[in-house]
């Protein structure tokens, strides 16, 4: 290269060409630039793309000193010293096995296809060079879990093999001795991991030997029937084993290990389909649009969050009488409904008018935003508010006698639940969510409250705890109340179970107890909030009735 001091480069010197001197930085005799440096080493030379000085990967520049990011990280985190590589014989940064990064990469690539190959054998016939950065890729997040025995498994797999048609599985001729049917041969790693998971789950939840063997066999059958080995197992496939195996233990196990795919149709979908069966098709199609928006929400403008199944059921129940009346009157589509039709369908007054208007507004508002209808006929129609239900006392002749009979029952769980509701006003959710750790001697701790238990309640709780320890001595369920179904699991009992055991709605017992306390304290709002965990507004519903209770209009407390 010519400079201000030299008019000719080495190739153009008179009497030349003359060979340039080697680069004083890297010793290269090619592409000499200036000041005794080549184009690769001179800081003012145009950038040159070359090979990494460590791994020979193509795609590095002078900005990183011709060393790729992987080799730089290798030197920082892996390499223990510099020396002669035992495989290629070059002086490079080595790991604990005295291998450079290129030889280590080549050995890993060969071992992925042939296990048990040593590093020297993998590099014997040469090395596969690569482009820098091709091994750095963003891997999809997978549900990697520690199954049993500390075994790390990358399941379920991200891909799924599509099938031409779904084949029904016939298990009538299945025998446990048919070892060739089971899934150990298809995916032995997953089969071993799930087998260990069954043993660990069974020991932790106190399963019997029969339940453990059945669950292990069911998992092996499911693995054998998989179209994609290693994929998550759908709930429908587990349910198909219901004639031969217990389904719920298998579902709990697969859910714990992350191998369960819930492909069940939500119950609200089947409920909605049954409710609109009698409506004409245009109206039913429009209601399906409303249902999908309520269930799944909308990400397009106008955006809308999904609503809970309980809200969907409630809104449709409110609107269904009016929709059915319009269908019987000859209307086939909600586009035909006018403001006069809405006013005619609304009840005259009261809670029925408010609920019907609430349901119709929900339907027409969604259809208007999705441009199914042109005008919202329920807009700007006043329907009032839903009247709040006043708390009431229990009937002394029937309900109180039933309550006393439940508290004196020989069934320990019924007596304990009823006593907690009758003496301390615990609700259904409170009874279901009570943990064993909530019992602190004579006190019961619920959130921030500490309830001093009455003597009859302590007596019944001791009887229940003795029965619980005798009936399920090895259960790991942390809840205070368990039954045959939840003793081998960790969840609470159901709402239906509590209502069935108590014999009436727990809410009625709670209201009666709070009303008696409000009458005894003269309507002390602060005391009601502290004793029963009520809000200020919730306590005012009871204190407002103290005058009526005193006058006898709502019944004297027993």
């Amino acid at each position: 290269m010519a400079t201000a001091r030299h008019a000719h480069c080495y190739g153009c010197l008179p009497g030349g060409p003359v060979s340039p001197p080697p680069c004083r930085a890297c010793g290269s005799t090619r592409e000499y630039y200036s000041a005794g440096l080549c184009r690769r080493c001179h800081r003012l030379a145009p950038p040159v793309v070359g090979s990494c000085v460590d791994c020979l990967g193509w795609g590095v520049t002078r900005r990183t000193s011709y060393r790729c990011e992987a080799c730089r990280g290798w030197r920082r985190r892996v390499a223990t010293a510099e020396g002669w590589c035992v495989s290629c014989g070059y002086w490079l940064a080595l790991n604990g096995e005295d291998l450079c990064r290129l030889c280590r990469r080549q050995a890993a690539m060969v071992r992925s296809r042939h296990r048990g190959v040593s590093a020297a054998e993998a590099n014997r016939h040469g090395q596969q060079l690569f482009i820098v950065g091709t091994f750095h890729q963003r891997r999809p997040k997978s549900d990697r879990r520690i199954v049993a025995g500390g075994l790390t498994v990358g399941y379920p797999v991200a891909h799924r093999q599509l099938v031409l048609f779904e084949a029904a599985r016939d298990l009538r001729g299945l025998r446990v001795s048919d070892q060739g049917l089971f899934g150990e041969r298809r995916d032995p790693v997953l089969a071993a991991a799930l087998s260990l998971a069954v043993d660990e789950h069974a020991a932790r939840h106190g399963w019997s030997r029969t339940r453990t063997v059945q669950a292990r066999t069911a998992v092996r059958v499911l693995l054998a029937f998989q179209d994609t080995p290693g994929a998550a197992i759908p709930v429908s496939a587990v349910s198909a084993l219901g004639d031969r195996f217990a389904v719920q233990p298998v579902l709990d196990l697969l859910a714990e290990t992350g191998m369960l795919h819930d492909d069940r149709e939500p119950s609200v979908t089947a409920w909605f389909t049954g409710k609109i069966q009698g409506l004409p098709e245009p109206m039913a199609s429009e209601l399906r649009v409303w249902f999908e928006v309520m269930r799944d929400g909308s990400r397009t403008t106008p955006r809308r969050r999904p609503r809970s199944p309980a809200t969907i059921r409630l809104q449709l129940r409110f609107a269904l009488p009016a929709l059915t009346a319009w269908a019987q009157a000859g209307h086939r589509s909600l586009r035909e409904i006018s403001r006069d039709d809405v006013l005619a369908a609304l009840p005259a007054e009261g809670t029925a008018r408010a609920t019907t208007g609430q349901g119709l507004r929900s339907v027409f508002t969604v259809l208007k935003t999705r441009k199914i209808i042109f005008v919202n006929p329920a807009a700007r129609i006043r329907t009032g508010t839903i009247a709040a239900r006043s708390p009431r006392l229990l009937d002394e002749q029937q309900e109180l006698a039933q309550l006393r009979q439940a508290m004196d029952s020989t069934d320990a769980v019924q007596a304990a639940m009823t006593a907690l509701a009758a003496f301390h006003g615990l609700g259904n959710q409170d009874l279901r969510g009570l943990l064993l750790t909530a019992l602190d001697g004579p006190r019961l701790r619920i959130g921030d409250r500490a309830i001093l238990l009455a003597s009859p309640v302590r007596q019944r709780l001791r009887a229940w705890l003795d029965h619980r320890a005798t009936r399920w001595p090895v259960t790991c369920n942390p809840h205070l109340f368990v039954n045959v179904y939840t003793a081998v699991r960790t969840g609470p009992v159901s709402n239906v179970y509590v209502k069935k055991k108590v014999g009436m709605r727990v809410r009625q017992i709670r209201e009666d107890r709070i009303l008696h306390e409000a009458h005894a304290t003269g309507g002390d709002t602060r005391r009601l909030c502290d004793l029963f965990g009520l809000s200020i507004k919730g306590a005012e519903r009871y204190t407002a009735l103290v005058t009526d209770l005193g006058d006898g209009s709502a019944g004297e407390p027993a």
Side-chain angles (χ1 to χ4, degrees), residues 95-173:
N95 64 357
E97 301 176 0
D98 292 335
L99 293 174
C100 65
R101 178 174 173 269
L102 179 59
C103 295
R104 179 66 182 84
R105 181 73 256 178
Q106 177 71 17
M109 183 175 61
V110 174
R111 287 169 182 169
S112 64
R113 300 189 301 268
H114 307 284
R115 296 185 178 181
V117 178
S118 64
E121 294 174 347
N123 290 271
R124 176 181 301 175
H125 303 291
Q127 296 167 325
Q128 175 64 54
L129 300 182
F130 47 86
I131 299 176
V132 169
T134 55
F135 288 104
H136 178 72
Q137 54 186 355
R138 189 179 297 276
R139 298 181 179 179
K141 294 182 179 180
S142 60
D143 191 5
R144 299 185 64 90
R145 295 174 180 263
I146 304 297
V147 191
L151 179 61
T152 304
V153 186
Y155 294 101
V157 297
H159 66 279
R160 185 177 291 273
Q161 176 65 45
L162 301 180
V163 295
L164 185 60
F165 59 89
E166 294 291 341
R169 310 296 187 183
D170 187 4
L171 302 179
R172 289 176 297 180

Side-chain angles (χ1 to χ4, degrees), residues 178-449:
D178 295 334
Q179 296 294 331
L181 174 66
F182 297 146
E184 285 87 343
R185 299 182 181 180
R186 302 191 66 188
D187 196 335
V189 176
L190 180 59
L194 290 180
S195 179
L196 291 174
V198 171
D199 296 338
E200 184 183 78
H201 190 88
R204 189 167 64 251
H205 291 78
W207 285 4
S208 63
R209 178 175 176 80
T210 302
R211 182 184 291 264
T212 304
V213 172
Q214 283 194 352
R216 187 185 299 114
T217 306
V219 168
R220 293 161 60 193
V221 172
L222 290 170
L223 293 180
F225 285 164
Q226 277 190 306
D227 297 313
T228 305
I233 300 175
V235 175
S236 58
V238 183
S239 301
L241 304 180
D243 296 337
R244 298 294 304 272
F245 305 99
V247 171
Q248 192 58 50
V250 181
L251 292 177
D252 295 339
L253 171 69
L254 295 177
E256 182 180 274
T257 56
M259 286 295 296
L260 185 65
H261 169 58
D262 194 351
D263 61 342
R264 293 173 292 188
E265 182 182 59
S267 60
V268 68
T269 303
W271 176 87
F272 172 80
T273 303
K275 289 295 182 181
I276 65 173
Q277 279 184 351
L279 300 178
E281 180 52 34
M283 187 181 295
S285 299
E286 293 160 354
L287 287 175
R288 289 190 192 97
V289 175
W290 168 82
F291 173 73
E292 291 173 359
V293 173
M294 293 286 288
R295 182 192 61 189
D296 304 328
S298 175
R299 295 187 177 183
T300 59
T301 306
R303 294 183 176 89
R304 189 180 181 91
R305 291 181 179 178
R307 299 305 194 265
S308 66
T311 301
I312 298 175
R313 294 173 188 266
L314 196 64
Q315 298 294 349
L316 186 59
R317 286 196 188 101
F318 289 163
L320 200 56
L323 298 175
T324 305
W326 290 334
Q328 293 175 354
H331 294 288
R332 297 186 55 80
S333 173
L334 293 178
R335 297 180 181 180
E336 305 172 6
I337 305 303
S338 63
R339 182 182 178 88
D340 294 337
D341 295 327
V342 175
L343 291 173
L346 289 174
E349 59 182 359
T351 300
R353 179 182 177 88
T355 55
T356 304
Q358 182 179 344
L360 293 178
R361 273 194 299 269
S362 174
V363 173
F364 285 119
T365 301
V366 172
L367 296 182
K368 177 65 169 59
T369 57
R370 309 315 297 175
K371 300 182 180 180
I372 304 298
I373 61 176
F374 302 103
V375 179
N376 184 354
R380 297 179 295 278
I381 295 181
R382 296 192 177 187
T383 58
T385 59
I386 300 176
R389 188 183 65 85
S390 298
R392 70 175 184 86
L393 293 171
L394 294 177
D395 180 69
E396 185 174 359
Q397 297 296 328
Q398 180 179 0
E399 294 175 335
L400 283 180
Q402 183 179 356
L403 184 64
R404 294 189 182 98
Q405 182 180 0
M407 281 196 297
D408 297 335
S409 173
T410 56
D411 189 353
V413 64
Q414 182 181 17
M417 283 185 175
T418 308
L420 285 172
F423 280 87
H424 302 292
L426 268 65
N428 195 310
Q429 297 297 327
D430 296 330
L431 293 174
R432 295 177 62 234
L434 282 178
L435 303 178
L436 290 171
T437 55
L439 291 175
D440 184 11
R443 291 176 176 80
L444 180 69
R445 301 190 181 275
I446 302 178
D448 298 333
R449 293 185 295 147

